[in-house]
Amino acid sequence: MALRSTDGKDDGPRHVAIIMDGNGRWATQRGRPRLFGHQAGARRVREIVEACPDLGVDYLTVFAFSTENWKRTQSEVAGLMSLFRRYITREGKSLKANDVCVRFIGDRVRLDKKLVSMMDELEALTANCQTVNLTIAINYGGRDEVARATKRLARDVADGKLDPDAVDEETLPKYLDTCVLPDPDLVIRTSGEARISNFLLWQSAYSEYEFIDTLWPDFTAEEFRSVVGGFGTRERRFGAVVA
Ligand code: IPE
Ligand code: IPE
Ligand code: MG
């Protein structure tokens, strides 16, 4: 199946990245525990993924757990990890059936072995899917990613596989977790916070940003379509003067 729909959506963002924020506040507003908000948030992902093909969005990357989120209570962290396992079990077959290629970014070393093997299996199951590329960031931090990439790069230099004088801005991204992905064109953050929180630092150098007030569990495909639709009106200059 073709990656891009052919209905004139070529001005739209090819890669959309989302900081799915606001689950905790959504639950608190309802007098419920924070995990209730995370569960509602996880259910939202499906309709956003399903909206991508018609919008010409080939790549969707979602921030699920940051390297800083370990600072939360042990029970919230454990609840989130168990939610990721349940998400993979529950959604795996339908992602494959919808031709969604799933990848995970972030440092797997600190994740529980069972979760990591489920992540590996879902990546293998969907490796040949092409309609949408869904990347899920778990234990992901932009600084941590650059540090891990630099470590690998330094090893290649030490092993004589890479000439330090040949290192340029095309070299480093080959070592990032996102090496097979294009840079995001549009980064959306829900919940009204206007900050990056360590998401895709290198990759979003020229991304457009949309900070919207909606809390993630209330973010609908309709709102997604409207935010993506607004992207076409932006003028991206990449540092040049546009006549
Ligand atoms: C985003 O929602 C999900 C994660 C960071 C895991 P939050 O849990 O940060 O929700 P708020 O920001 O506290 O409302
Ligand atoms: C960013 O949200 C991380 C995720 C959405 C997974 P946070 O809620 O952790 O970010 P801060 O703490 O408000 O910056
Ligand atoms: Mg938050």
Side-chain angles (χ1 to χ4, degrees):
M1 193 183 289
L3 270 181
R4 180 167 281 280
S5 61
T6 50
D7 52 1
K9 300 271 168 43
D10 285 350
D11 288 344
R14 183 167 179 235
H15 182 177
V16 178
I18 307 183
I19 302 174
M20 309 184 289
D21 197 14
N23 296 347
R25 277 163 283 172
W26 186 89
T28 304
Q29 283 172 3
R30 285 159 181 76
R32 303 295 299 269
R34 294 177 59 84
L35 210 52
F36 180 70
H38 295 312
Q39 286 158 355
R43 282 196 296 273
R44 275 289 161 205
V45 176
R46 183 192 278 218
E47 71 173 273
I48 304 304
V49 174
E50 288 176 356
C52 287
D54 280 347
L55 293 167
V57 174
D58 299 333
Y59 293 86
L60 179 74
T61 298
V62 294
F63 202 4
F65 191 89
S66 77
T67 46
E68 288 71 39
N69 287 147
W70 299 102
K71 294 175 192 164
R72 298 186 178 197
T73 62
Q74 203 267 334
S75 83
E76 183 170 351
V77 170
L80 280 162
M81 295 301 151
S82 120
L83 183 59
F84 299 146
R85 289 193 298 270
R86 267 180 289 137
Y87 176 83
I88 293 173
T89 307
R90 199 181 60 218
E91 299 291 321
K93 280 205 187 75
S94 96
L95 288 163
K96 163 89 176 160
N98 284 316
D99 201 34
V100 178
C101 177
V102 183
R103 299 180 180 90
F104 292 92
I105 56 171
D107 189 359
R108 299 181 189 203
V109 169
R110 196 167 167 186
L111 299 176
D112 134 320
K113 285 200 176 58
K114 170 77 184 152
L115 174 60
V116 173
S117 75
M118 293 174 78
M119 288 158 59
D120 290 339
E121 279 167 29
L122 184 57
E123 284 185 336
L125 178 73
T126 62
N128 296 320
C129 296
Q130 291 190 359
T131 299
V132 182
N133 290 275
L134 171 65
T135 303
I136 305 175
I138 299 183
N139 193 25
Y140 174 87
R143 288 181 172 180
D144 177 69
E145 180 192 33
V146 171
R148 285 185 289 105
T150 307
K151 199 185 289 184
R152 287 197 290 270
L153 187 151
R155 260 191 215 121
D156 279 354
V157 170
D159 293 347
K161 291 184 197 151
L162 182 67
D163 173 4
D165 288 327
V167 174
D168 59 16
E169 60 182 81
E170 309 291 321
T171 316
L172 188 74
K174 294 190 180 127
Y175 291 84
L176 295 174
D177 298 350
T178 52
C179 57
V180 298
L181 308 178
D183 287 341
D185 302 295
L186 174 65
V187 179
I188 300 170
R189 182 172 188 147
T190 56
S191 91
E193 312 294 348
R195 55 177 171 261
I196 306 182
S197 299
N198 206 7
F199 190 44
L200 300 177
L201 295 182
W202 173 281
Q203 300 86 341
S204 64
Y206 267 102
S207 302
E208 301 292 326
Y209 273 88
E210 282 286 348
F211 297 105
I212 58 174
D213 289 336
T214 308
L215 301 175
W216 174 254
D218 288 331
F219 189 71
T220 58
E222 194 186 342
E223 189 164 14
F224 181 59
R225 277 191 282 273
S226 134
V227 176
V228 168
F231 177 88
T233 62
R234 287 165 172 247
E235 183 184 73
R236 301 180 82 188
R237 302 196 192 100
F238 300 100
V241 176
V242 176

